[in-house]
């Protein structure tokens, strides 16, 4: 299972993602609009505070690291890839629909949070991060 300090954070994020889905699914002019909880800038600010807190626990990045490691960290890195995809889809949606301005910011911060969380999980499990080494182009 997840360590307790992460369990609560992930439960909160899960709740916020349901709110984000409802936010995106409900146009501002819809009848039900007043009943829908909208994603707010402070939701993303909370993620930023969490990132800062967890960053103190891990060594600074010296290079790009490959996603992976222990099972929990690998799952978190997969979630981050899906979050990036959701962010791109939401940006595309914003070109044709009027969406809450905080939704894209939230998804962007969430993928940063998930990256940091993956590093924290590997660090706590004493899993060494694999730096990405760029191969020279074939000559």
């Amino acid at each position: 299972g997840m360590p307790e300090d992460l369990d609560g954070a992930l439960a909160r994020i899960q709740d916020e993602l349901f709110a984000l889905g409802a936010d995106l699914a409900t146009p501002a002019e819809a009848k039900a609009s007043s009943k829908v909880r909208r994603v707010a800038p402070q939701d993303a600010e909370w993620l930023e505070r969490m990132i800062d807190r967890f960053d103190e626990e891990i060594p600074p990045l010296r290079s790009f690291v490959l996603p992976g490691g222990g099972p929990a960290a690998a799952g978190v890195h997969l979630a981050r890839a899906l979050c990036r995809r959701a962010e791109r889809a939401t940006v595309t949606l914003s070109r044709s629909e009027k969406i809450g301005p905080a939704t894209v910011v939230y998804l962007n911060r969430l993928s940063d949070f998930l990256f940091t969380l993956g590093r924290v999980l590997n660090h706590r499990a004493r899993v060494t991060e694999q730096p990405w080494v760029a191969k020279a182009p074939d000559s």
Side-chain angles (χ1 to χ4, degrees):
M2 277 283 164
E4 252 176 58
D5 61 334
L6 302 178
D7 231 10
L10 291 176
R12 176 174 172 162
I13 288 166
Q14 202 168 25
D15 179 64
E16 287 172 349
L17 285 172
F18 271 93
L20 186 129
D23 189 337
L24 289 174
T26 314
E29 61 276 10
K31 276 204 188 79
S33 184
S34 59
K35 294 183 185 73
V36 172
R37 177 183 145 203
R38 300 291 176 180
V39 177
Q42 46 272 31
D43 297 323
E45 287 160 14
W46 174 78
L47 284 171
E48 284 171 9
R49 287 196 300 278
M50 296 297 288
I51 291 167
D52 291 342
R53 198 169 98 198
F54 285 125
D55 258 340
E56 290 171 11
E57 208 182 302
I58 48 182
L61 271 182
R62 301 263 176 251
S63 66
F64 285 113
V65 292
L66 295 173
V76 165
H77 281 297
L78 175 62
R80 181 173 70 107
L82 295 171
C83 184
R84 281 270 183 238
R85 188 187 300 167
E87 182 188 348
R88 288 194 299 273
T90 306
V91 168
T92 302
L93 179 68
S94 73
R95 295 190 187 120
S96 58
E97 301 284 333
K98 198 167 181 295
I99 65 165
T103 52
V104 175
V105 176
Y106 182 85
L107 288 168
N108 182 273
R109 292 291 77 131
L110 180 57
S111 59
D112 289 346
F113 170 79
L114 291 169
F115 178 75
T116 302
L117 180 58
R119 294 194 65 219
V120 165
L121 289 168
N122 278 333
H123 185 71
R124 290 183 183 182
R126 295 182 168 66
V127 173
T128 308
E129 290 178 313
Q130 296 300 310
W132 178 66
V133 181
K135 295 192 172 38
D138 294 333
S139 44

